[in-house]
């Protein structure tokens, strides 16, 4: 079971519920005079410096120690010491080289470790503007204290959490804290709810966020680690990231087992010799220990993972920790941020509504001004009509064209196409995301702002967007005509309720109808109608803006640049229509989510956005079914609802929510903890600072490389360089492939060890003339088999392509381990088969083919005429086991399907490493056996002749046995692939929602 992460977050004072006077009284400060220098110095001693504290960084010696403090490495070190103690320097040197190589690779990978706290520190503003002693002064930001009066202006990085008491058009970028992609408009209104999400605390600003527009003053309420970003830093420090990954745990368990088995076998060797020590007995004991230790295991695992890292880099995923790639194969749940991860983080206009024409649909995504506009008319029973009329570019009714003129001209955004050849004509945008969306819409309608300016529209005056009135207006003079100068027009855009309040008329086709009729109810009726249409757009998760205009008659002698008043300009407007804007999902997101369902993986969206927006995007990307209601949906919650539940209440939920809106950092960590309590293996994707704690707490943290902050990247295990959710599916597939391949080569290596142990243990029964046990294989032969013959094919198995059913199988259980019962069974069955055939060959040659003396003396040490039969028998056993191991590599490509069918053999061409290692391994057998001196003096065997026929027979028997064994498994065992289709998952969610519709939220529009 994954270790639970316990996060201790201190309760905070809800300063957003305090009046300005209450905050000032709480901290004993004055909004006009600020603190005195003496008081600031005293408070600095009490509260500490305003900076984030780290944990000391990464020490190189700790990284090196982690590489060596590994159970398998310890076993190899013991084997090395034994080899050197008996003066077997060749064996000891080779094993020591393996240890050093693996440690070097691991050290290099791990030393580029986490700098999360350093990245967080660098985000703090270096200086701050404060009022002290009635004077405005600039101080180092780390000297700011609670009670300071801090000033901000456009472009500042805010240095501390503050309660605002004076604002002017203030907008801040809080995406790194809340995940909200749009700038947040601040105000001074008191907030009554203490548990209001960060994104809705509009009378507060937070450390490390950025001022996008306007200026303000605030009272510092929190500094250093007590700020919201400081709490994130505290969470990062408290999350335990030293827990071993599943692969590390499994390799350690296997190493312990191997160690115990090696000790037992060494004791058996000494027991057979009645515990009488001699070099012969010690050498045999070392041979047995070497036979059971998979010397190539650590190197093959490390290099296989490194190859996996390279493969992932080719598909835009950078793996920061080798073992996390394997961990992806066990992922059961993916918790994803919305903005920039599932979506493009590019606002786009998709709907319009005009009182006389009804709804319009706009196609196209992103900044590219390509798409069509279709008139759909009014909805029928709440549904948009499918019968559409396309509006040709540059045409449409006067009402249509006037509305798009307003969208184009009441707009400060710029849309440009790059002319640099390297940019390939890519479109770029500058400005507010909402205005960019309106400008792209105008381009699609053939009314691009540059074109209108070229036609003669001239900007006369501008009233920029003001958060207090939530609207913007511009005064333009139209193109000159033959009769004289062009008419003047005022264009207005903003929040619907604020724009309607400025309107006295509404456009009904080409007719302007009054909202101030004889009945006196026209305005109320009109507002009800607009609200109904706005709700229809909001249900689609769209942000709604309203456009209006009027003709303007300038008075003689009035300076149109300096003398106009906003309240006079933004009056008696004519309502034009509504525009619905949303952040579109990536085209790849929906197929990626559906592939997750096919693979038995569930996807959760955790976002800072409004519930209706989050639910709409969730439907589009298939996180929840499209044909279900958002109201009272048990799979959709707000962070307020989820956070208010105790752990016990969360655990009682039959299903965890698939969509959680208005998330705070702790909400995401709480979701990860809830998944862990259910024994689920969670991956978390994100890009902002607000995602860092959950990235750390998750089993696999995945950060966005383009839009992600340095903090998120450092906190993550894997970084997606293309910010594409679909890449996660490829990463999961690669993780599954890696684990399956590790099982394949572990089975191959351990089968070889089982075969060698069988031969050596049974060989204890054969004695030479001196009464010493006769080596069926020499120590060097065993080491050569383990390192040269077996390891390269094992490495080739580590590079095997994914099977066809790789992403149609359920996630692997984190408890399963490297050795499932089937893999253990296969390891022993194949190992025993190879060992029996190899030892049988040894016995047949020794007692059947030997024409000289049966067994001489000291045949374990050197060749003599009396030992010729023993040396030939040893060579036969070695050649037999060599060929069987190479054939077994083909068996290990699949647990159950045939490895020797024509179809399977043809796929070998896709794994060059494997077939080359098999060919080279077979060829190397010949010089080892036939080169004089090398065969007698080093490998302790002789050249072969007719014995090759016995080797060939053993190979044929082994292949036949392996195919029969797999056939029996296919007929008697449960299929590996289990159907987890996306259609079944969608139907399961529908059933759950229909039976639990009374438990959660009623979405507020």
């Amino acid at each position: 079971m994954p270790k639970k992460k316990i996060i201790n977050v201190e309760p905070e004072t809800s300063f957003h519920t305090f009046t300005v006077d209450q905050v000032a009284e709480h901290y004993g400060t004055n909004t006009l005079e600020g603190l005195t220098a003496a008081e600031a110095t005293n408070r600095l001693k009490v509260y500490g410096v305003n900076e984030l504290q780290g944990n000391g960084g990464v020490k190189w010696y700790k990284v090196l120690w982690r590489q060596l403090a590994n159970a398998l490495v310890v076993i190899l070190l013991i084997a090395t010491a034994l080899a050197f103690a008996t003066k077997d320097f060749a064996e000891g040197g080779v094993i020591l080289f393996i240890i050093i190589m693996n440690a070097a690779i691991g050290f290099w990978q791990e030393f580029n470790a986490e700098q999360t706290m350093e990245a967080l520190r660098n985000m703090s503003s270096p200086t701050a503007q404060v009022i002290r002693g009635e004077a405005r002064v600039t101080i180092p930001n780390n000297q700011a204290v609670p009670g300071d009066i801090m000033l901000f202006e456009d472009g500042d990085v805010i240095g501390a959490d503050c309660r605002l008491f004076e604002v002017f058009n203030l907008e801040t970028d809080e995406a790194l804290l809340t995940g909200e992609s749009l700038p947040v408009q601040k105000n001074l209104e008191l907030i009554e709810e203490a548990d209001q999400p960060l994104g809705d605390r509009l009378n507060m600003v937070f450390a490390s966020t950025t001022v996008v527009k306007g200026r303000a003053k605030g009272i510092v309420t929190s500094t250093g680690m007590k700020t919201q970003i400081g709490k994130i830093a505290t969470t990062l420090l408290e999350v335990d990231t030293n827990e071993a990954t599943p692969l590390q745990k499994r390799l350690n368990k296997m190493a312990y087992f191997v160690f115990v088995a090696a000790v037992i076998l060494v004791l058996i060797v000494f027991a057979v010799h009645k515990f009488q020590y001699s070099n012969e007995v010690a050498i045999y004991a070392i041979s047995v220990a070497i036979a059971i230790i998979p010397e190539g295991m650590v190197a093959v695992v490390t290099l296989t993972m490194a190859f996996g890292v390279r493969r992932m880099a080719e598909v835009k995923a950078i793996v920061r920790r080798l073992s996390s790639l394997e961990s992806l194969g066990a992922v059961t749940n993916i918790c994803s941020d919305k903005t920039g991860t599932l979506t493009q983080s590019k606002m786009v206009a998709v709907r319009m509504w005009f009182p006389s024409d009804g709804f319009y649909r706009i196609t196209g995504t992103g900044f590219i001004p390509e798409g069509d506009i279709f008139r759909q008319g009014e909805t029928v029973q709440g549904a948009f009509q499918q019968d559409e009329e396309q509006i040709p570019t540059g045409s449409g009714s006067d009402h249509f064209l006037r509305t798009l003129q307003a969208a184009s001209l009441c707009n400060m955004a710029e849309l440009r196409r790059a002319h640099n050849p390297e940019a390939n004509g890519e479109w770029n945008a500058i400005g507010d995301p909402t205005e960019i969306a309106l400008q792209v819409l105008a381009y699609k309608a053939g009314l691009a702002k540059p074109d209108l300016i070229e036609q003669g529209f001239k900007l006369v005056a501008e009233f920029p967007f003001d958060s207090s009135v939530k609207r913007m207006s511009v005064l333009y003079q139209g193109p000159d005509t033959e009769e004289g100068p062009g008419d003047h027009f005022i264009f207005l855009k903003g929040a619907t309720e604020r724009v309607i309040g400025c309107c006295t008329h509404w456009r009904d086709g080409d007719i302007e109808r009054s909202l101030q009729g004889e009945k006196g109810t026209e305005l109320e009726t009109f507002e009800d109608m607009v609200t109904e249409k706005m709700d229809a757009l909001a249900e689609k998760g769209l942000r709604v803006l309203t456009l209006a205009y009027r003709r303007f008659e300038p008075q003689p002698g009035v300076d149109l640049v300096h003398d106009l008043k906003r309240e006079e300009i933004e009056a008696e407007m004519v309502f034009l229509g509504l525009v619905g804007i949303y952040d579109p999902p990536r085209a790849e997101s929906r197929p990626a989510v559906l592939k997750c369902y096919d693979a038995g993986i569930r996807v959760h969206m955790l976002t800072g956005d409004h519930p209706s927006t989050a639910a709409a995007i969730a439907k589009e990307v298939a996180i929840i079914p499209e044909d279900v209601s958002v109201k009272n949906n048990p799979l959709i919650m707000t962070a307020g609802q989820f956070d208010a539940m105790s752990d016990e209440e969360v655990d009682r939920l039959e299903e965890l929510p698939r969509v959680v809106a208005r998330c705070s950092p702790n909400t995401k960590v709480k979701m990860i903890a809830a998944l862990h309590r259910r024994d689920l293996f969670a991956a978390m994707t994100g890009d902002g600072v607000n995602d860092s704690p959950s990235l750390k707490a998750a089993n696999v943290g995945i950060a966005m490389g383009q839009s992600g902050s340095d903090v998120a990247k450092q906190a993550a295990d894997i970084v997606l360089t293309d910010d594409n959710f679909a890449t996660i599916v490829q990463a999961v597939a690669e993780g599954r492939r890696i684990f399956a391949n590790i099982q394949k080569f572990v089975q191959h290596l351990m089968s070889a060890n089982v075969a060698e142990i069988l031969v050596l243990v049974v060989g204890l029964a054969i004695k030479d003339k001196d009464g010493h046990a006769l080596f069926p294989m020499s120590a060097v032969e065993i080491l050569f088999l383990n390192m040269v013959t077996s390891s390269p094919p094992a490495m080739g198995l580590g590079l095997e392509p994914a099977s066809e059913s790789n992403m149609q199988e359920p996630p692997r259980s984190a408890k399963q381990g490297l050795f499932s019962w089937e893999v253990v069974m296969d390891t022993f069955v194949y190992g025993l088969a190879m060992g029996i055939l190899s030892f049988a060959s040894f016995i047949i040659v020794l007692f059947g083919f030997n024409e000289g003396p049966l067994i001489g003396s000291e045949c374990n040490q050197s060749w003599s005429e009396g030992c010729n039969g023993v040396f030939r028998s040893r060579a036969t056993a070695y050649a037999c086991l060599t060929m069987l191991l190479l054939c077994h590599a083909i068996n290990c490509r699949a647990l159950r399907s045939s490895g020797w069918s024509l179809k399977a053999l043809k796929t070998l061409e896709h794994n060059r490493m494997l077939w080359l290692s098999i060919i080279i391994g077979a060829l190397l057998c010949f010089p080892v056996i036939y080169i004089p001196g090398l065969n007698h003096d080093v490998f302790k065997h002789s050249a072969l002749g007719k014995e090759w026929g016995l080797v060939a027979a053993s190979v044929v028997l082994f292949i036949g046995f392996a195919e029969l064994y797999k056939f029996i498994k296919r007929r008697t065992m449960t299929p590996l692939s289990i159907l987890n289709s996306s259609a079944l998952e969608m139907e399961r969610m529908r059933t759950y929602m229909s039976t639990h519709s009374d438990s959660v939220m009623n979405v507020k529009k």
Side-chain angles (χ1 to χ4, degrees):
M1 177 178 175
K3 187 176 180 180
K4 298 176 184 177
K5 276 69 175 179
I6 301 175
I7 309 300
N8 298 314
V9 179
E10 294 184 12
E12 62 178 293
T13 304
S14 302
F15 287 108
H16 57 280
T17 65
F18 286 26
T19 65
V20 174
D21 290 339
Q22 287 174 327
V23 176
E25 182 180 355
H26 180 84
Y27 280 117
T29 189
N30 185 294
T31 57
L32 297 177
E33 300 176 0
L35 300 174
T36 64
E39 179 62 20
T41 301
N42 291 333
R43 294 192 182 195
L44 192 62
K45 296 176 182 178
V46 174
Y47 295 102
V49 293
N50 180 29
E51 62 183 16
L52 303 179
Q53 305 300 319
N55 57 8
V58 179
K59 303 295 188 298
W60 67 268
Y61 50 84
K62 291 184 179 180
V63 176
L64 182 60
W65 173 250
R66 284 199 296 269
Q67 310 311 310
L68 298 177
N70 175 287
L72 201 56
V73 171
V74 172
I75 294 172
L76 291 177
L77 285 171
I78 293 173
T80 302
L82 287 173
F84 284 134
T86 57
K87 298 182 180 180
D88 201 338
F89 299 111
E91 295 173 17
V94 170
I95 301 174
L96 188 60
F97 172 76
I98 294 168
I99 295 171
I100 294 172
M101 180 186 67
N102 176 74
I105 294 174
F107 178 83
W108 181 258
Q109 183 74 22
E110 293 291 334
F111 190 65
N112 297 322
E114 311 169 29
Q115 300 297 327
T116 301
M117 298 311 301
E118 285 71 17
L120 278 168
R121 280 197 212 99
N122 292 335
M123 292 178 62
S124 296
S125 176
T127 61
Q129 298 285 331
V130 297
I131 296 177
R132 285 187 178 172
E134 299 185 70
R136 177 172 176 167
V137 296
T138 300
I139 62 171
N141 188 67
N142 60 6
Q143 301 299 304
V145 295
D148 260 329
I149 305 303
M150 190 170 284
L151 296 82
F152 330 103
E153 53 191 28
D154 193 4
D156 283 352
V157 176
I158 296 170
D161 290 2
C162 300
R163 169 63 161 94
L164 297 171
F165 65 86
E166 180 179 311
V167 298
F168 181 78
N169 290 345
L170 181 67
E171 293 186 12
T172 61
D173 182 0
E174 297 180 354
L176 294 177
L177 275 176
T178 67
E180 176 59 60
S181 59
L182 295 174
V184 180
Q185 302 167 12
K186 298 294 183 176
N187 59 49
L188 304 180
E189 295 179 9
L190 188 66
I191 299 171
E192 296 180 357
E193 294 82 9
D195 59 350
Q196 192 82 345
L198 287 181
D200 293 335
R201 299 180 187 180
L202 302 182
N203 57 14
M204 298 283 297
V205 291
F206 304 104
S208 292
T209 59
T210 306
V211 177
V212 176
K213 183 191 298 184
R215 60 182 184 271
K217 296 178 182 178
I219 303 173
V220 175
T221 58
S222 303
T223 59
M225 301 299 284
K226 301 295 184 181
T227 62
Q228 293 297 329
I229 197 170
K231 291 173 183 177
I232 293 176
T234 301
T235 306
L236 287 170
L237 287 173
E238 294 178 357
V239 171
D240 179 15
T241 59
N242 294 321
E243 182 182 2
T245 66
L247 177 60
Q248 292 167 337
K249 292 177 181 177
R250 291 167 190 136
L251 289 177
N252 286 338
K253 287 181 180 179
M254 185 193 71
Y256 297 141
F257 169 79
V258 169
F259 178 76
V260 172
V263 171
I264 292 173
L265 289 172
V266 168
L267 290 175
I268 290 174
V269 171
F270 278 100
V272 170
H273 291 84
K274 300 178 182 180
F275 293 98
Q276 295 179 356
Y277 179 83
S278 67
N279 284 340
E280 286 284 325
V281 175
I283 292 173
Y284 202 95
I286 291 175
S287 299
V288 172
I290 289 174
I292 199 172
I293 295 173
E295 290 90 351
M297 178 73 72
V298 175
V300 173
V301 169
T302 302
L303 291 176
T304 299
M305 299 298 284
F307 280 125
V309 170
R310 188 177 68 180
R311 287 168 63 100
M312 287 308 303
E314 293 172 356
V315 295
K316 311 295 185 183
I318 304 301
V319 179
R320 297 187 65 247
R321 297 175 184 85
L322 284 175
S323 52
S324 65
L325 183 57
E326 173 270 338
S327 299
L328 274 171
V331 166
T332 59
N333 297 72
I334 298 176
C335 298
S336 174
D337 189 30
K338 179 187 75 67
T339 304
T341 307
L342 289 163
T343 67
Q344 300 178 27
S345 193
K346 297 177 181 178
M347 306 296 282
V348 61
V350 294
R351 296 277 181 185
M352 296 188 297
W353 176 80
F354 302 159
S356 57
D357 294 350
F359 287 96
Y360 287 78
R361 180 173 67 90
I362 305 112
T363 64
T365 59
F367 296 156
I368 303 175
E370 297 175 359
D372 299 313
I373 302 176
F374 298 87
R375 180 179 178 273
Q376 295 179 306
E378 294 294 347
T379 56
V380 178
Q381 296 181 345
F384 293 104
Q385 296 189 47
Q386 299 300 314
D387 187 14
E388 301 176 326
E389 172 194 356
Q390 183 172 350
I391 308 299
T393 302
S395 64
S397 65
D398 183 68
H399 184 184
F400 176 88
L401 295 175
R402 188 68 71 194
T403 304
L404 272 298
Q405 278 183 356
S408 179
L409 296 174
C410 189
N411 196 317
M412 297 297 106
E414 296 181 16
L415 198 62
R416 299 173 181 173
R417 190 164 196 167
H419 298 292
N420 188 338
E422 296 180 358
N424 298 318
E426 182 179 352
W427 286 90
N428 297 309
I430 302 173
D432 180 82
T434 304
E435 292 193 331
I436 292 171
L438 291 175
Q439 197 60 250
V440 171
L441 169 61
Y443 270 75
K444 292 174 182 178
L447 294 170
K449 185 175 180 179
D451 294 341
L452 294 177
I453 298 298
E454 187 176 345
Q455 292 172 17
F457 279 93
K458 303 181 186 69
L459 177 63
V460 177
E462 171 194 341
F463 293 92
F465 185 87
D466 187 337
S467 59
S468 63
V469 296
K470 295 185 178 180
R471 58 181 181 259
M472 168 191 177
S473 59
V474 290
L475 172 62
Y476 269 86
Q477 183 177 10
D480 295 339
T481 63
E482 294 180 358
E483 289 78 15
D487 294 338
H488 287 77
F489 297 91
I490 297 171
F491 297 107
L492 176 70
K493 78 168 187 292
T496 302
E497 65 277 10
R498 298 303 180 96
V499 173
I500 289 182
C502 299
C503 295
T504 58
H505 293 75
W506 60 281
R507 189 73 179 259
D508 183 5
D510 293 335
I511 303 173
E512 295 181 1
R513 300 189 182 277
S514 175
L515 293 172
Q516 300 171 345
E518 297 179 358
K519 298 181 180 179
T521 59
E522 286 82 354
L523 178 59
E524 182 179 349
T525 302
F526 181 75
E527 287 180 345
D528 291 342
M529 178 181 66
V530 172
T531 300
E532 178 187 350
K533 307 307 177 184
M534 187 172 63
D535 288 347
L537 296 174
E539 288 177 357
K540 297 293 182 182
L542 308 183
R543 183 187 184 195
V544 181
L545 291 180
T546 299
L547 298 170
Y549 92 110
R550 73 176 173 96
R551 292 181 182 273
F552 177 73
E553 296 290 341
Q555 298 298 319
V558 175
D559 185 346
L560 297 182
V561 177
H562 302 98
D563 293 348
L564 296 178
K565 294 183 180 180
R566 183 166 197 153
E567 56 271 20
E568 296 176 357
I569 288 294
E570 297 176 352
E572 300 182 352
M573 302 296 295
V574 180
F575 179 93
L576 288 171
L578 307 176
V579 180
I581 301 173
Y582 91 124
D583 185 8
R586 293 176 179 271
E588 305 90 346
S589 292
R590 183 181 178 88
V593 172
L594 294 176
K595 286 182 181 178
C596 287
Y597 292 151
D598 287 336
I601 299 169
R602 296 179 180 177
V603 181
H604 305 259
M605 177 194 290
L606 288 82
T607 176
D609 281 336
H610 189 276
S612 61
T613 303
I617 296 297
K619 287 184 177 183
E620 290 201 47
V621 299
I623 290 178
I624 57 175
E626 292 185 276
D627 56 353
V628 299
S629 173
V630 174
K631 294 182 179 180
N632 298 324
N633 192 321
L635 295 182
I636 304 173
M637 286 188 182
T638 62
Q641 293 171 315
F642 189 69
D643 290 342
M645 301 175 72
S646 65
D647 289 348
E648 292 73 19
E649 291 173 326
V650 172
D651 293 342
R652 283 198 297 269
L653 291 176
E654 186 176 332
E655 280 269 354
L656 290 174
R658 297 298 182 89
V659 178
V660 182
R662 294 300 192 197
C663 276
S664 67
N666 287 342
T667 305
K668 298 183 178 184
V669 176
K670 183 173 182 175
M671 172 63 81
I672 295 295
L675 291 168
H676 286 171
R677 289 196 301 274
R678 297 178 182 227
D679 292 343
L680 298 173
F681 208 78
M684 171 68 194
T685 70
D687 52 8
V689 175
N690 62 309
D691 297 321
S692 299
S694 48
L695 288 173
K696 298 281 286 184
N699 300 100
V700 181
I702 306 172
M704 303 297 112
Q706 292 180 354
S707 62
S709 65
D710 288 341
V711 177
K713 295 173 189 175
Q714 294 291 336
D717 301 298
I718 295 173
V719 178
L720 305 183
T721 59
D722 61 352
D723 289 14
N724 196 334
F725 184 85
T727 304
I728 298 172
V729 178
Q730 294 176 289
V732 169
E734 182 66 13
R736 291 186 174 195
R737 185 193 70 86
I738 286 287
F739 186 82
N741 288 351
I742 289 175
Q743 281 191 319
K744 292 172 186 177
F745 70 64
V746 167
Q747 182 191 117
H748 181 261
L749 292 172
M750 296 306 293
S751 295
N753 295 136
V754 170
E756 292 164 1
I757 289 300
L758 177 65
V759 172
L760 291 176
V761 171
V762 177
L764 287 170
I766 304 175
K767 309 289 184 179
D768 62 11
K769 285 185 177 181
D770 302 323
H772 294 129
L774 190 66
F775 294 0
M777 284 188 288
S778 69
V780 175
E781 281 180 330
I782 294 169
L783 197 60
F784 196 86
L785 283 170
N786 286 352
M787 293 303 303
V788 179
T789 304
S790 185
S791 291
M795 198 174 299
L797 288 170
L799 302 179
E800 269 288 285
S803 65
E804 294 180 357
S805 62
N806 186 44
M807 290 298 284
Q808 277 77 48
E809 299 175 7
R812 183 189 72 256
S813 170
K815 298 179 180 179
Q816 176 183 314
L818 257 177
F819 289 101
S820 64
W821 70 269
E822 182 178 359
V823 172
V824 172
M825 180 179 68
D826 290 353
T827 298
F828 280 96
V829 168
Y830 289 124
L832 290 172
M834 291 187 292
I836 290 171
L837 289 171
S838 180
F839 189 72
S841 299
F842 176 83
I843 295 297
I844 291 171
V845 173
L846 182 62
F847 295 103
F849 290 9
N850 192 6
E851 298 175 357
L854 191 60
I855 303 176
S857 61
E858 297 185 353
C859 293
N860 293 331
Q861 297 179 2
S862 60
W863 181 88
S864 64
E865 288 294 338
C867 294
N868 186 53
V870 173
F871 272 50
R872 286 171 55 221
S873 301
R874 197 176 285 151
T876 306
Y878 166 75
C880 181
L881 191 52
T882 295
M883 299 305 172
L884 293 180
L885 285 175
L886 296 175
C887 293
H888 185 43
I890 296 178
N891 284 336
C892 290
R893 296 181 70 209
L895 281 176
R896 299 182 189 175
S897 60
S898 171
W900 293 94
S901 65
L902 185 61
K903 178 182 178 181
L905 291 175
K906 283 183 177 179
T907 60
L908 260 178
E909 65 180 355
H910 302 303
N911 192 341
R912 185 178 180 184
M913 177 72 183
L914 182 58
W915 64 260
L916 273 178
S917 64
I918 292 173
I919 293 174
I920 293 173
L923 293 176
L924 282 176
C925 188
F926 294 95
V928 166
I929 291 176
Y930 289 104
I931 292 178
L934 183 64
N935 53 8
H936 285 178
D937 299 335
V938 179
F939 284 86
K940 306 295 190 296
H941 59 214
S942 296
L944 298 179
K946 58 185 178 182
E947 292 85 2
W948 281 110
L950 196 59
V951 173
S954 298
V955 169
V956 172
L957 286 173
F958 179 73
I959 293 173
F961 168 80
E963 290 298 288
L964 177 62
Y965 175 65
K966 286 187 175 182
F967 174 77
I968 293 172
K969 288 207 301 180
R970 289 196 297 270
R971 296 296 296 268
T972 59
M973 298 177 70
T974 305
L976 291 173
S977 179
I978 299 176
L979 183 61
N980 286 287
S981 73
S982 54
L984 289 177
E985 176 65 12
M986 287 294 183
E987 187 57 37
R988 195 192 63 76
M989 281 194 283
R990 291 188 187 95
T991 302
Y992 175 75
M993 287 184 281
S994 65
T995 57
H996 296 76
S997 61
D998 59 342
S999 58
V1000 256
M1001 65 176 289
N1002 187 355
V1003 176
K1004 296 180 181 179
K1005 297 172 183 174

